Amino acid sequence: MIYSLLRSAAAVALRWYYADVAFVGTERIPDEGPILVVVNHPNALVDVLVAARAVPRQLGFTAKATLFSNPVSSAFFRSVGVLPLRRAADDAARGNAADPSRNAESFAAVADALARSAAILIFPEGKSHDDPAMAPARTGAARMILQAIETRQVRDIRIVPIGLIFEHKDRPRSRIVAIVGEPIEANAVVEGNPDAVADLTSAIDTSLRSLTLNYTSVEAAERDARIARTLQAVLRVEAPSIGSRGDFHTRAAIARLLPALREVLLGENTALRDRALALETDLVEFDRHLKAQRVSVDDFSIARTVEQGAVFVFREAAILLAAGPVALWGWANHIIPFRAALAAGGRVRHSAADPAMRTIVAGAAFVLMMYMLQGAAVALIFGPWWGLAYVASLPIAADINLRTRDRLRWAVRRARAYLYFRARPGVQNDLLARAQRLRAEAVALGRASGLVEIG
């Protein structure tokens, strides 16, 4: 019961901070049987919330033992099935030598849970961080599985990898995609294998890296993000509908494919290498040109006819008229807790994960406090049922407010692009011609690589 409530609250928190959280491949998650869910760890508490939303089953968690130092938080974590794990880094920070048996109790609890066919969440990197690539997977997950097999004779354990990709993890109203990979049959790797721990760890590491973005530098990561966004725009030809801003999953898929394409195209074939390098340069230059024109990459291909403009104005005005009153109601009832949460998230930070984590945690506290005060006031004046109805309406109104504000912002941006192109049709014609040339070259190089076929 508590887990279901927290999972629902996590969905609301994520929806209020991030504009969209997409889940891909969730049909690969087994409905039953013991599973160990392994996830990369770029964004602290947010990663736990996203994993809990991705997996329909109740998840058991492990967390660093330092979070259990407070008696109140310790009691809460244990009540929802969270197990403490003592990290070697934490022992070292206290000046203590790492004790190999420090997690015997937690490992035994995980083995017992797997024996009950439970689902357990593990972050194999062992830490949350801001690096542009995954840290090497540690052996903890593999050793847990080995212990469950050897001491509890657990059969058919499957490892379910989930890769998290953030558009901007520290920026409100950005997007996330969670990609579920093919499950790994753990027993098949372990049985009769003297190197079972190393092989399982390697399989986990390889699987997660295939689902995530990994770069040697932040600059390389940012460059590929721009290239993927621009490439997505020129490949789809038509501008995305208002409110979608393009499919972030598709953009992430393009970014995941870029390193493999680069490896093939920058090989021994000089002609392909020169073309690939030229295409990268042209895509970056196209993006810069759009920014100089103050046009979004999502808007350069919009129709500029009077008919399309009239349809746009009528549709967006109708949506605003319908959603506006509810959005205004949501804004009025949440402006204080939301502003307070954003202020808490914007404090001095030690990691890029801090803004989202602090804002979500503070927001949950402030919103609940305001709901209690508002609900109590309405109940005193109009009665308890009206108080309950009032509080029940608030999360829906808040959600409509946030999504209406997003849509209004995107609509204003597109209207500006429409008027710009109506006044300067030659500019848009030039952009469309450049985009067509870029698309043709991207299609040709994709086919030449043998890795992707673009229609």
Side-chain angles (χ1 to χ4, degrees):
M1 179 66 176
I2 296 177
Y3 180 85
S4 297
L5 290 173
L6 290 175
R7 188 171 183 267
S8 298
V12 173
L14 287 171
R15 193 166 62 243
W16 284 358
Y17 191 86
Y18 293 100
D20 183 52
V21 184
F23 301 97
V24 180
T26 52
E27 70 280 357
R28 298 189 179 108
I29 300 174
D31 296 325
E32 56 186 19
I35 63 172
L36 196 71
V37 180
V38 293
V39 185
N40 62 313
H41 207 8
N43 205 7
L45 175 65
V46 174
D47 302 336
V48 178
L49 303 183
V50 177
R53 293 301 303 162
V55 179
R57 300 168 57 177
Q58 179 168 339
L59 275 177
F61 300 93
T62 59
K64 58 185 180 181
T66 52
L67 296 176
F68 291 74
S69 57
N70 182 286
V72 176
S73 61
S74 176
F76 171 75
F77 285 134
R78 292 182 190 279
S79 71
V80 293
V82 180
L83 302 172
L85 282 179
R86 282 175 54 197
R87 304 182 304 175
D90 296 330
D91 286 345
R94 296 190 183 95
N96 301 325
D99 180 2
S101 64
R102 65 188 181 277
N103 286 315
E105 183 179 344
S106 298
F107 275 45
V110 170
D112 289 338
L114 292 174
R116 297 192 302 269
S117 294
I120 302 295
L121 171 65
I122 296 292
F123 294 105
E125 294 170 273
K127 62 177 181 177
S128 178
H129 59 88
D130 294 331
D131 297 336
M134 273 182 52
R138 300 190 179 185
T139 60
R143 289 187 288 119
M144 288 176 182
I145 290 173
L146 196 63
Q147 181 167 332
I149 292 174
E150 291 181 346
T151 65
R152 309 297 194 274
Q153 288 73 53
V154 184
R155 307 294 303 172
D156 301 322
I157 300 176
R158 282 167 286 189
I159 303 170
V160 179
I162 300 180
L164 305 182
I165 299 176
F166 290 80
E167 185 177 28
H168 301 286
K169 66 181 182 181
D170 58 344
R171 188 178 302 175
R173 314 310 295 159
S174 58
R175 296 173 290 178
I176 311 170
V177 61
I179 308 168
V180 181
E182 290 293 339
I184 301 167
E185 301 290 341
N187 292 74
V189 178
V190 169
E191 291 174 1
N193 183 358
D195 297 320
V197 169
D199 289 347
L200 268 181
T201 302
S202 176
I204 291 170
D205 189 274
T206 299
S207 182
L208 281 178
R209 288 182 189 279
S210 72
L211 301 172
T212 56
L213 302 176
N214 296 278
Y215 294 96
T216 57
S217 68
V218 173
E219 292 74 21
E222 292 175 347
R223 178 181 172 87
D224 264 15
R226 291 196 301 272
I227 290 173
R229 183 173 182 229
T230 308
L231 189 55
Q232 179 191 27
V234 300
L235 289 175
R236 71 178 169 231
V237 181
E238 295 182 358
S241 62
I242 287 290
S244 71
R245 291 195 295 165
D247 180 356
F248 183 62
H249 166 233
T250 300
R251 186 191 305 177
I254 292 172
R256 286 167 54 208
L257 185 60
L258 283 177
L261 282 169
R262 195 175 281 118
E263 184 177 355
V264 172
L265 295 174
L266 300 185
E268 297 180 359
N269 189 318
T270 304
L272 281 181
R273 181 169 63 249
D274 292 344
R275 288 174 61 188
L277 291 173
L279 178 61
E280 279 199 22
T281 301
D282 290 344
L283 286 168
V284 172
E285 182 56 36
F286 186 68
D287 178 64
R288 287 175 181 162
H289 184 65
L290 288 172
K291 287 181 179 177
Q293 302 289 339
R294 298 184 63 194
V295 174
S296 167
V297 72
D298 291 331
D299 295 339
F300 75 87
S301 58
I302 60 172
R304 63 173 186 264
T305 65
V306 174
E307 293 80 4
Q308 289 290 341
V311 169
F312 172 84
V313 170
F314 178 81
R315 183 187 66 233
E316 297 307 313
I319 291 174
L320 185 60
L321 286 173
V326 181
L328 186 60
W329 172 252
W331 173 83
N333 282 282
H334 292 84
I335 184 171
I336 293 175
F338 278 7
R339 289 282 178 88
L342 288 171
R347 292 183 302 165
V348 176
R349 63 186 190 178
H350 303 289
S351 163
D354 287 345
M357 181 175 66
R358 288 177 179 167
T359 302
I360 288 173
V361 172
F366 294 148
V367 166
L368 285 175
M369 186 186 307
M370 291 296 296
Y371 281 10
M372 291 172 64
L373 293 172
Q374 292 169 294
V378 173
L380 284 173
I381 299 172
F382 299 104
W385 290 110
W386 280 105
L388 286 173
Y390 180 88
V391 172
S393 73
L394 294 180
I396 299 171
D399 194 54
I400 292 174
N401 167 49
L402 291 169
R403 295 188 182 280
T404 302
R405 289 171 61 187
D406 287 343
R407 188 178 185 98
L408 180 60
R409 185 169 62 254
W410 300 329
V412 169
R413 185 200 67 195
R414 182 154 294 184
R416 186 187 303 119
Y418 173 82
L419 294 174
Y420 180 76
F421 289 143
R422 286 284 300 173
R424 302 170 181 80
V427 172
Q428 187 182 31
N429 292 339
D430 177 65
L431 290 172
L432 291 172
R434 291 179 64 176
Q436 289 172 355
R437 290 193 295 270
L438 291 170
R439 185 183 193 281
E441 183 67 350
V443 169
L445 287 174
R447 290 173 178 168
S449 73
L451 297 178
V452 60
E453 183 72 23
I454 305 171

